[in-house]
Amino acid sequence: MRERFRVSGGASLRGQVRVVGAKNSALKLMAGTLLAVGRTRLTNVPNIVDVTIMAELLRRLGCDVDWRPEDGVVEIGVPERIGHRADYELVRALRASICVLGPLIARVGEADVAVPGGDAIGSRGLDLHAEGLEALGAKVHVAHGYLIAAAPQGLHGASVHLEFPSVGATENVLMASVLATGHTRIENAAREPEIADIAEFLVSMGAHVSGAGTSTIEIDGVDALHATEYHVVPDRIAAGSWAFAAATTRGDVEVVGGRAEHLEISLDLLAGAGSTVTVTPDGFRVVGPQGRPCSVDVATLPYPGFPTDLQPFALTYNAVADGSAMITENLFEARFRTVQELARLGADARIDGHHVMVHGVPLLSGAPVEASDIRAGAALVVAGLVADGVTTVSGAHHVDRGYDRFERQLQGLGADVVREPDDDLYG
Ligand code: UD1
């Protein structure tokens, strides 16, 4: 059944909200468990649909997966013999499934992974994934909608220079190289905290990895890894969403578990535009300004730049800010679907190529809107909070892919948001 969020405008978010492990790390760590025979236990895993899909994918590869969403624990028993095919049916529901490619080629010597669909945010190539694995000795081609990789002789260390610091390509090359013979050096690697988290996880399994979190990662391959227990890094994107939501609604929110050092640019922007940001013993706190927040220009870039995943929240923020702002999207070309929905709420925003010009208005005007992906959906719910009257955000399932019971967290902060059936005529 389709569901939507029903948001009554007018609330300032106040109180504490807790962030748990990062979706974008947890999914990769789950894939990474394939690298070692035995039972690996992950804690601080977010209770989101994507984790359930990844659990199913691992089961189909032959693993015994015990996923306890209420405890945030997933235990994955990896047998000696595992499959090597990730079907389209699962990959289309979870584009992050492509991260099984590196672990499978390293462990089994072959991998057939359906070419992913997933979030509707621009075309996302896999060329860098393929080039990186080829440098390690794999043969990679695409046929019948599958990316097929094989390394019958095993993988060998190599120098891999990524043309662009792709998060997914860095992860696949990193996870493939830990079992390759000899030394691998990944240059122009992505520097996201989730990459450092994966590296730390691999080291806890016995891998030799250094430099993760910088643009050069060095790996010395080992013959085998062992099962481990690991606590997932907190979700900086969820934490950043709450920071923007607090500033946008002129609220006062402590993000418990949030790491300010992973959100430096975002929090500096908010602080420079009238919010008060403080680091607390358990996380950080954002207190919005008394009056309308000031507008802020934003340009998305690979980490440590402004995260593309927070761009929809920057749009919502600027839609009600005092002044005009330019939002530039440098990572994904079609990631402006929020704009047309915000316009339905009365925002004054115009797309020009990969820029959006936003002129802030004092208040949005509640209306039915549609979520196109996880972050867009959550940002539209926040927009509903600063809109007059009622806003409904259809496509709640998108938001469930990234946020653990979003409406309950918002209710805990004093917002009037409920989930309800979406009686869309054609849905
Ligand atoms: C990851 C995150 C996503 C985030 C993104 C950028 C997960 C599950 N998803 O996605 O939430 O928005 O990082 O921070 O972790 N590209 C190529 N060829 C390639 C690979 C990428 O051209 O082989 C391009 C893509 O089309 C895109 C850009 O590089 O324009 C960024 O992609 P990448 O950094 O790989 O992001 P993802 O790993 O897909």
Side-chain angles (χ1 to χ4, degrees):
M1 181 185 49
R2 273 174 63 89
E3 291 179 320
R4 67 184 178 195
F5 296 108
R6 183 182 184 81
V7 188
S8 300
S12 285
L13 298 182
R14 285 178 192 280
Q16 284 187 330
V17 66
R18 178 173 290 280
V19 294
V20 293
K23 164 179 100 74
N24 287 351
S25 187
L27 298 171
K28 320 306 172 61
L29 300 183
M30 288 175 76
T33 63
L34 292 169
L35 289 163
V37 176
R39 199 163 184 83
T40 283
R41 178 182 158 94
L42 300 174
T43 55
N44 204 30
V45 177
N47 180 5
I48 52 171
V49 176
D50 281 10
V51 169
T52 307
I53 302 172
M54 182 57 90
E56 181 56 27
L57 198 161
L58 295 177
R59 279 190 198 106
R60 292 197 196 177
L61 288 170
C63 301
D64 166 32
V65 184
D66 179 16
W67 166 217
R68 300 197 294 278
E70 295 306 322
D71 304 329
V73 174
V74 62
E75 281 182 13
I76 300 164
V78 181
E80 185 73 42
R81 281 179 64 84
I82 54 174
H84 66 272
R85 186 177 165 90
D87 285 325
Y88 182 57
E89 177 203 344
L90 288 167
V91 177
R92 72 194 283 239
L94 177 65
R95 84 168 298 282
S97 326
I98 193 68
C99 66
V100 297
L101 184 63
L104 284 179
I105 187 89
R107 253 302 297 291
V108 192
E110 53 185 331
D112 299 357
V113 181
V115 175
D119 270 4
I121 46 170
S123 65
R124 309 207 242 190
L126 294 172
D127 49 323
L128 303 173
H129 299 243
E131 279 168 32
L133 295 178
E134 278 171 347
L136 300 179
K139 294 262 181 291
V140 184
H141 71 283
V142 174
H144 309 294
Y146 277 76
L147 199 138
I148 298 168
Q153 318 299 331
L155 299 174
H156 54 74
S159 190
V160 178
H161 180 90
L162 297 175
E163 205 175 295
F164 174 86
S166 151
V167 173
T170 302
E171 291 166 345
N172 266 326
V173 176
L174 170 61
M175 291 201 275
S177 63
V178 287
L179 290 178
T181 54
H183 186 78
T184 296
R185 182 183 165 93
I186 309 175
E187 286 168 2
N188 200 25
R191 290 184 278 166
E192 271 69 1
E194 294 76 32
I195 305 276
D197 203 42
I198 294 167
E200 208 176 303
F201 164 77
L202 294 170
V203 167
S204 79
M205 295 173 111
H208 295 173
V209 182
S210 62
T214 74
S215 38
T216 305
I217 307 179
E218 312 262 2
I219 304 111
D220 282 302
V222 294
D223 290 339
L225 297 174
H226 54 76
T228 188
E229 173 157 351
Y230 193 79
H231 194 77
V232 183
V233 71
D235 194 324
R236 70 195 159 93
I237 302 300
S241 314
W242 293 116
F244 269 93
T248 306
T249 65
R250 306 178 205 175
D252 178 351
V253 175
E254 184 183 7
V255 185
V256 176
R259 290 210 191 149
E261 71 271 24
H262 290 169
L263 282 164
E264 219 170 298
I265 289 195
S266 309
L267 296 178
D268 281 357
L269 276 179
L270 291 177
S275 293
T276 307
V277 179
T278 44
V279 174
T280 62
D282 297 323
F284 62 84
R285 179 178 171 197
V286 176
V287 182
Q290 296 282 314
R292 286 168 69 189
C294 300
S295 56
V296 282
D297 291 334
V298 163
T300 67
L301 281 172
Y303 189 86
F306 188 91
T308 173
D309 289 359
L310 289 181
Q311 179 255 94
F313 296 92
L315 280 169
T316 295
Y317 170 94
N318 280 300
V320 291
D322 191 9
S324 301
M326 170 95 90
I327 312 291
T328 304
E329 175 55 58
N330 291 312
L331 278 101
F332 294 112
E333 74 266 28
R335 206 177 205 184
F336 277 144
R337 297 194 180 191
T338 334
V339 173
Q340 69 202 44
E341 301 303 299
L342 281 173
R344 287 187 48 71
L345 298 176
D348 180 355
R350 209 183 58 239
I351 303 175
D352 181 7
H354 66 124
H355 306 289
V356 180
M357 197 67 206
V358 192
H359 303 286
V361 297
L363 187 65
L364 298 175
S365 167
V369 289
E370 175 90 37
S372 57
D373 67 48
I374 308 173
R375 311 298 168 189
L380 287 169
V381 172
V382 175
L385 295 173
V386 285
D388 189 21
V390 171
T391 296
T392 54
V393 182
S394 296
H397 64 282
H398 286 295
V399 178
D400 295 339
R401 291 189 41 219
Y403 296 85
D404 177 3
R405 288 155 295 188
F406 194 48
E407 73 279 13
R408 280 200 231 166
Q409 289 180 294
L410 286 162
Q411 288 158 5
L413 295 172
D416 184 354
V417 180
V418 292
R419 182 187 289 263
E420 61 180 25
D422 190 353
D423 22 279
D424 182 340
L425 266 183
Y426 305 104

